Amino acid sequence: MAPKRKKKSSRRKKSPKPILAASEDMEPVNMESMGHPEIYPLVLTTKTQEIFNCRIDEDITDEQPYKLINKEDIFEDLRNRAAVSDFHPVKKIVQEYPGNELLLVYDKDFKYGLNFYLIGTEEGKENYLNPPEVSEEQEEYKEYIPEDVYIYKPPVSKPWVSLGSEKEIEEESVTESTKQITYMISRKRSEFGAPIKFSDQNASSVKDAYIECTAYPDKNFTLKQLEKDVGMQVIPQIKDISTQTKWTYPKNATTQYYPREFSEEEKETLKQSKPLVDFLNNASISVEIALQQNEITNTFIDDWKHLAEEEGTFGDKTDTHLKEYQSFTDLHSPTEKMITCVSWHPTIYGLIAVSVAVRLSFEDRVHFSGKLLLQPSLILFWSFSDPIHPQLMLESPDDIFCFKFCPSDPNIIAGGCINGQIVMWDITAHADRIENIKGGGSRSKKATLKPMFLLEPESNKEAMYIRHCAVSSIENGHKRVITDIHWLTICFWDIRPQKPLTPQTTEKKKEESIEIPFDVPSTFLHLDLSWKPLTKLRLSKGETSLDHCPTKISLNEDHLLCKTQDKMLAQSKTAKAEEMNPYHNLESGVANLLKPIDDFCTKFFVGTEEGEVIYTDWKMERDPETGRFMPKKPVNLHTIHDGIVHTIQRSPFYDDIILTVGGWNVAIWKESVMTGPLLQSCCAPKRYTSGHWSLTRPGVFYIGREDGYIDIWDLLEKTHEPAQSQNICITMITCIKPWIFSPKQQFIAIADYYGTLHILEIPWTLSRPSANEMTSINHYFEREVKHLEYVEQRKKIREQEKKEMEQEMAKKKVKIYQKSKEQMEAELKMDYESYLELEKTVLINLGLIKVTEKGSYLDVM
């Protein structure tokens, strides 16, 4: 069979104009093959000619076909246009050129293939500008040579430069696309020329006579359509429109009707009629049954609603993945930074704050400490309405690794620095700015995202920088980086002003007042650089002088927040919030306003760098020997995690349930159970870096990993592994914070190591709890508590059994030792007696002893 030809398009592409292609990895092409290694052909576009004032027939003519170009001008063009610059192929030649001016020559006859060429050496430039003098003999020889005589120049081989023509040649060439099939047909020699007789027969009656040849697609003979002719016809758009004529003369009309009633005689006749009596007798039974059913069951209950709820709770997988909603990245940052902490604004929709830090190790921070001081450390406020420009930037003395809004006043923000200082900001003066930029109230009101080059000039305004209003003193701060902060923390900071030991003069006060910057709020100015902690808690490792290094803490804050809200309500009755400064009593002291809190739990959970989970008490106790207040010993300590603890968080539904994330596993604890965690996961494929409880479902929590995946745990579905895993980014997840916008819409903010903040929408199955989920999860925790109690009881029983077995073994050893001593004495006695019998037998055999008739022995000497 003939080889099958590929169908090619009848349209042929025009071959591109041959140009010299070069890159930074390739050496510039010169004319060394033609005897001019100093010449480098170039193609200069009209735009480049206008930039360097070398326009053909204007700046460059036949009389002066060259131009001297400054070396710095070429470098400026390379910086502005990069690889688009026409001098990019000879960038290396320009950099290595020793002089300041390069000679550019116009090649009118395309002697070297392009419209210009550059002379790359000083010697070549001098030879072109000042050619050597020709001797008189050579000039006379030139006169005898006629101009019309053709001088043959042999062709010179040039290096092959691929411009894509080989692809067109390959497409137009005919190649065998299918495998050739060979058939061999044979016949006996004797049957050649014999007469042939045809007859009819049943194909099914003869074996192998009927063969069904069904059609099937053969990929070897499939034709690919490379060209298709399509015809289009424009037709007028037709639209059907109907109108209704309005009646312009309305008319009021009324109608009155009366019911048709039986007369008294007809009523009496109907009551006594047999059909009515039979109907009432037959229908009364059905009516009584219906009335009884209405009393027994609720006929208005929606059964389909309950059925759909159960399906959505157990096994509905239609919509379980997080959907990308928006992302934020600081494009104007000069250095590579990571996001260390994320916090949603408590009251404003679509406003989220993130703290960023430089991605450097401790050694690199020490090495580049001088340069880092020149770069600002910021907390960025992002809004859904503008994903490119931050709305506010809070400045701090060093990188912030944790921060939180004040529960009572969101305009007050506290943060912890890498150098151990506590920083406070007051953004009350800028509250109107961030409230006016908030996004819409629903998904339909979401701001339309545009590329940066399409934004209007008014939207490209710079963000507002806000300086901190108070910084704690370095001498009394933390010794290491602050990784977690609460408004009731491991260090209790007193925000009251310190009374000076010596009275200050008026001149000194004036000098201090002059040094105050005008853009710094005076809310906590009295605490700046003099703020000291009220109480310090030292977590020591037993009797040694070493201390634990805490990373995350979890306090029982609900009871305290309730007390704080009650106190705020009582204060609001005496004065209006907008007419008074909420911090005006701080300078004079608040000792008279403080009241003791009854039944307040002072115990809290702490996670350390070694993976330990400590349950301790921050209430100090007096040492009976020294009389000083000392921290209490930890109530319990467990080493569950095999790495640094990144998350310790209480469940929003259960005050005594705590989630801890660290190393390669996850654990869930109950505050009243000290024997161990209720749930401890197995080792994950990658390390866990962050975690957070779901705000609406008691049995769901989210765990971030170092490979950019997020594990979603659903305790109603699985308790030994995550229900699902989803990839969010390509780098480590540093922080997770969910947020509830409405009962129908929830978001989750996920920050990564490269400084990008991902906002994802939580699906319906992960945000809406079932009717019995709270009860089911509570029963699960109770079962786990009973299981731990049973395990603890079994341990005690096994320990008791082990002690009893050891005591029995000790008794057996004593008995065995005594019995063996008696046996040894009996065996020695038996051996001695057998020895005496043997001795007598030997003596008798030797004739030394004779046996008498009485059985006695007689010695023979």
Side-chain angles (χ1 to χ4, degrees):
M1 294 180 65
K4 191 172 182 180
R5 299 175 181 266
K6 292 183 179 179
K7 186 177 179 181
K8 302 297 179 181
S9 175
S10 59
R11 301 178 182 176
R12 294 178 58 88
K13 298 181 181 179
K14 294 182 179 180
S15 299
K17 184 177 180 181
I19 60 174
L20 288 175
S23 63
E24 294 182 358
D25 297 333
M26 298 175 57
E27 292 292 331
V29 179
N30 58 6
M31 295 293 106
E32 184 177 3
S33 59
M34 299 179 64
H36 297 284
E38 74 280 2
I39 293 177
Y40 297 87
L42 284 176
V43 174
L44 297 187
T45 60
T46 306
K47 181 67 176 179
T48 306
Q49 295 176 16
E50 292 176 358
I51 294 174
F52 292 92
N53 296 324
C54 57
R55 293 169 291 183
I56 301 173
D57 296 333
E58 292 184 13
D59 302 321
I60 293 179
T61 60
D62 296 337
E63 291 77 15
Q64 188 177 358
Y66 63 89
K67 179 76 175 181
L68 291 173
I69 300 177
N70 195 356
K71 187 177 179 180
E72 294 297 326
D73 295 340
I74 299 177
F75 287 153
E76 184 67 19
D77 185 72
L78 289 171
R79 283 191 295 270
N80 294 335
R81 298 196 293 172
V84 184
S85 175
D86 295 337
F87 289 92
H88 187 266
V90 294
K91 179 180 178 181
K92 185 176 181 181
I93 301 303
V94 176
Q95 292 176 349
E96 296 177 356
Y97 190 78
N100 295 327
E101 292 182 343
L102 287 88
L103 182 62
L104 182 68
V105 183
Y106 172 53
D107 192 358
K108 181 179 180 181
D109 299 328
F110 290 86
K111 181 179 179 181
Y112 300 108
L114 302 178
N115 58 351
F116 284 85
Y117 62 88
L118 189 71
I119 298 180
T121 59
E122 285 284 338
E123 181 180 1
K125 182 176 74 173
E126 292 297 328
N127 292 336
Y128 184 88
L129 297 176
N130 301 316
E133 297 181 357
V134 183
S135 61
E136 297 179 357
E137 296 179 359
Q138 292 179 355
E139 291 181 354
E140 292 177 358
Y141 178 76
K142 288 183 179 180
E143 293 177 358
Y144 290 104
I145 299 175
E147 296 180 357
D148 298 335
V149 176
Y150 173 77
I151 301 175
Y152 171 76
K153 295 182 179 179
V156 181
S157 61
K158 299 180 181 180
W160 167 257
V161 179
S162 175
L163 300 176
S165 59
E166 66 273 13
K167 295 182 179 179
E168 294 184 357
I169 296 174
E170 184 179 354
E171 290 178 357
E172 296 297 334
S173 61
V174 179
T175 57
E176 294 182 358
S177 60
T178 59
K179 185 178 180 181
Q180 293 185 358
I181 302 174
T182 304
Y183 293 95
M184 185 181 69
I185 301 173
S186 62
R187 191 179 184 185
K188 295 181 179 180
R189 180 67 178 174
S190 59
E191 295 180 359
F192 276 71
I196 299 173
K197 183 180 179 180
F198 295 97
S199 61
D200 298 332
Q201 66 179 8
N202 189 0
S204 60
S205 63
V206 182
K207 185 179 180 181
D208 298 335
Y210 176 73
I211 300 176
E212 183 181 3
C213 297
T214 58
Y216 68 97
D218 190 355
K219 297 182 180 180
N220 297 325
F221 295 93
T222 302
L223 298 178
K224 294 184 180 180
Q225 187 175 9
L226 301 180
E227 184 177 357
K228 184 177 182 181
D229 295 332
V230 180
M232 299 179 64
Q233 179 66 35
V234 180
I235 60 174
Q237 187 177 3
I238 301 174
K239 195 173 187 181
D240 295 335
I241 300 175
S242 61
T243 60
Q244 178 66 35
T245 305
K246 294 183 180 180
W247 182 253
T248 57
Y249 300 99
K251 183 179 180 180
N252 297 329
T254 59
T255 304
Q256 181 68 33
Y257 63 92
Y258 296 94
R260 185 171 60 88
E261 298 180 354
F262 290 151
S263 61
E264 295 297 333
E265 295 178 356
E266 291 176 346
K267 291 180 181 178
E268 291 295 333
T269 305
L270 183 62
K271 290 180 181 178
Q272 297 177 2
S273 63
K274 185 177 180 181
L276 180 60
V277 175
D278 295 340
F279 169 74
L280 294 176
N281 292 332
N282 295 330
S284 60
I285 299 175
S286 301
V287 172
E288 291 177 358
I289 293 173
L291 292 175
Q292 291 177 2
Q293 289 178 351
N294 291 340
E295 292 294 331
I296 295 173
T297 60
N298 185 10
T299 58
F300 300 101
I301 192 170
D302 189 0
D303 296 331
W304 295 105
K305 182 178 180 181
H306 291 277
L307 290 174
E309 186 175 69
E310 294 299 326
E311 289 180 1
T313 304
F314 301 101
D316 187 8
K317 303 297 183 182
T318 57
D319 187 11
T320 58
H321 287 78
L322 304 174
K323 298 179 181 178
E324 184 77 21
Y325 188 85
Q326 208 165 12
S327 62
F328 302 96
T329 304
D330 188 10
L331 303 176
H332 308 288
S333 177
T335 57
E336 297 179 351
K337 294 187 177 182
M338 65 175 178
I339 297 178
T340 56
C341 187
V342 178
S343 181
W344 293 90
H345 197 280
T347 58
I348 299 179
Y349 163 78
L351 190 65
I352 187 170
V354 297
S355 59
V356 294
V358 182
R359 299 200 306 261
L360 292 177
S361 61
F362 179 77
E363 292 77 10
D364 294 337
R365 280 184 175 272
V366 175
H367 183 68
F368 298 104
S369 58
K371 296 182 180 179
L372 294 178
L373 293 176
L374 304 177
Q375 299 177 5
S377 301
L378 304 171
I379 294 180
L380 308 177
F381 279 72
W382 294 101
S383 173
F384 281 4
S385 60
D386 190 356
I388 298 179
H389 304 90
Q391 305 302 324
L392 294 178
M393 294 187 179
L394 308 184
E395 294 181 340
S396 63
D398 211 334
D399 287 344
I400 298 293
F401 273 73
C402 59
F403 69 94
K404 275 195 177 181
F405 291 91
C406 179
S408 58
D409 187 0
N411 294 327
I412 304 299
I413 304 170
C417 296
I418 192 175
N419 60 358
Q421 286 182 290
I422 301 293
V423 189
M424 293 188 70
W425 295 270
D426 185 4
I427 60 173
T428 307
H430 311 281
D432 296 337
R433 170 185 172 91
I434 58 178
E435 288 179 358
N436 293 332
I437 61 172
K438 63 184 180 180
S442 63
R443 179 81 181 221
S444 60
K445 297 182 181 180
K446 178 186 173 184
T448 304
L449 301 181
K450 297 181 180 180
M452 188 173 181
F453 57 85
L454 293 179
L455 292 175
E456 298 179 359
E458 296 180 358
S459 63
N460 290 332
K461 55 187 177 182
E462 295 182 357
M464 184 174 294
Y465 289 84
I466 301 176
R467 191 176 180 273
H468 53 82
C469 59
V471 182
S472 64
S473 62
I474 300 179
E475 297 81 5
N476 299 285
H478 295 264
K479 297 180 181 179
R480 298 193 62 178
V481 54
I482 301 177
T483 56
D484 198 6
I485 188 170
H486 294 254
W487 281 90
L488 185 62
T489 63
I490 212 166
C491 286
F492 303 90
W493 298 86
D494 188 6
I495 59 177
R496 294 175 294 179
Q498 295 181 354
K499 296 181 180 180
L501 299 177
T502 57
Q504 297 180 351
T505 60
T506 57
E507 296 180 356
K508 190 172 182 181
K509 291 182 179 180
K510 290 182 179 180
E511 292 179 359
E512 292 180 355
S513 62
I514 295 174
E515 295 177 357
I516 299 174
F518 68 92
D519 58 343
V520 178
S522 59
T523 310
F524 303 104
L525 196 60
H526 57 280
L527 303 175
D528 194 17
L529 297 177
S530 62
W531 193 12
K532 297 181 181 180
L534 183 64
T535 305
K536 286 187 178 181
L537 181 62
R538 178 173 172 265
L539 300 176
S540 61
K541 293 184 178 181
E543 298 178 355
T544 62
S545 60
L546 301 178
D547 295 339
H548 294 283
C549 185
T551 56
K552 294 293 179 180
I553 59 176
S554 175
L555 303 171
N556 194 356
E557 302 169 349
D558 296 337
H559 186 74
L560 181 62
L561 291 177
C562 296
K563 295 290 183 180
T564 305
Q565 292 174 359
D566 296 340
K567 184 178 179 181
M568 291 177 61
L569 292 175
Q571 292 179 356
S572 63
K573 296 180 181 178
T574 59
K576 295 182 179 179
E578 60 271 10
E579 296 179 359
M580 64 175 294
N581 183 7
Y583 307 99
H584 74 285
N585 290 326
L586 298 179
E587 297 184 2
S588 60
V590 293
N592 297 329
L593 301 176
L594 296 178
K595 295 182 179 180
I597 301 176
D598 299 330
D599 300 332
F600 178 68
C601 181
T602 57
K603 295 182 175 62
F604 65 100
F605 282 85
V606 181
T608 66
E609 286 186 350
E610 294 81 9
E612 300 168 335
V613 178
I614 304 174
Y615 185 63
T616 184
D617 195 344
W618 52 262
K619 189 176 181 181
M620 310 290 280
E621 62 179 2
R622 190 181 296 276
D623 190 1
E625 297 180 358
T626 60
R628 297 179 181 179
F629 283 98
M630 301 294 291
K632 296 182 179 179
K633 294 182 180 180
V635 180
N636 212 329
L637 187 147
H638 293 275
T639 305
I640 297 297
H641 303 284
D642 46 6
I644 180 173
V645 178
H646 296 282
T647 300
I648 291 187
Q649 185 191 16
R650 291 181 181 268
S651 172
F653 302 93
Y654 308 97
D655 296 338
D656 55 350
I657 298 298
I658 295 92
L659 171 69
T660 61
V661 180
W664 275 267
N665 59 351
V666 180
I668 296 179
W669 308 75
K670 190 176 179 64
E671 191 167 8
S672 59
V673 179
M674 296 292 102
T675 55
L678 304 182
L679 171 66
Q680 181 180 355
S681 66
C682 59
C683 292
K686 296 292 181 179
R687 285 187 303 176
Y688 289 141
T689 56
S690 59
H692 204 285
W693 284 101
S694 173
L695 301 180
T696 54
R697 288 196 56 187
V700 175
F701 53 91
Y702 308 94
I703 306 297
R705 302 190 329 204
E706 65 177 354
D707 58 349
Y709 278 79
I710 182 170
D711 291 344
I712 303 175
W713 287 72
D714 189 353
L715 299 180
L716 285 181
E717 185 175 349
K718 297 179 181 179
T719 58
H720 64 286
E721 63 180 2
Q724 61 175 334
S725 297
Q726 182 176 346
N727 181 257
I728 304 299
C729 53
I730 60 175
T731 183
M732 179 178 64
I733 294 176
T734 58
C735 190
I736 298 176
K737 282 295 176 66
W739 181 56
I740 302 175
F741 167 61
S742 66
K744 296 183 179 180
Q745 191 176 28
Q746 297 183 21
F747 299 105
I748 183 170
I750 300 175
D752 62 15
Y753 186 71
Y754 286 165
T756 302
L757 180 65
H758 306 269
I759 306 296
L760 296 98
E761 189 173 2
I762 301 176
W764 182 85
T765 54
L766 296 177
S767 60
R768 188 173 184 272
S770 62
N772 301 323
E773 182 170 354
M774 191 82 173
T775 307
S776 301
I777 297 300
N778 193 19
H779 288 338
Y780 168 72
F781 289 147
E782 291 177 356
R783 290 196 306 269
E784 293 300 322
V785 171
K786 293 180 180 178
H787 174 70
L788 288 177
E789 292 176 353
Y790 172 76
V791 172
E792 191 66 20
Q793 292 177 359
R794 293 300 302 169
K795 286 183 179 179
K796 293 180 180 179
I797 294 174
R798 293 298 299 170
E799 290 178 357
Q800 185 65 26
E801 291 178 353
K802 186 178 180 180
K803 290 181 180 179
E804 293 177 357
M805 291 177 62
E806 290 177 354
Q807 292 177 359
E808 291 180 359
M809 291 296 295
K811 292 180 180 179
K812 288 181 178 180
K813 288 181 179 179
V814 173
K815 291 181 180 179
I816 291 172
Y817 177 75
Q818 294 176 354
K819 186 176 180 181
S820 61
K821 186 176 181 180
E822 295 175 355
Q823 288 179 354
M824 289 175 62
E825 292 179 354
E827 290 176 357
L828 290 174
K829 186 177 181 180
M830 291 175 64
D831 292 342
Y832 180 71
E833 291 177 355
S834 62
Y835 171 75
L836 293 177
E837 291 292 333
L838 178 62
E839 183 181 12
K840 291 178 181 179
T841 305
V842 172
L843 292 175
I844 291 172
N845 294 332
L846 294 175
L848 298 177
I849 298 177
K850 292 182 179 179
V851 180
T852 61
E853 295 178 356
K854 295 181 179 181
S856 60
Y857 298 96
L858 179 64
D859 295 335
V860 179
M861 298 299 293

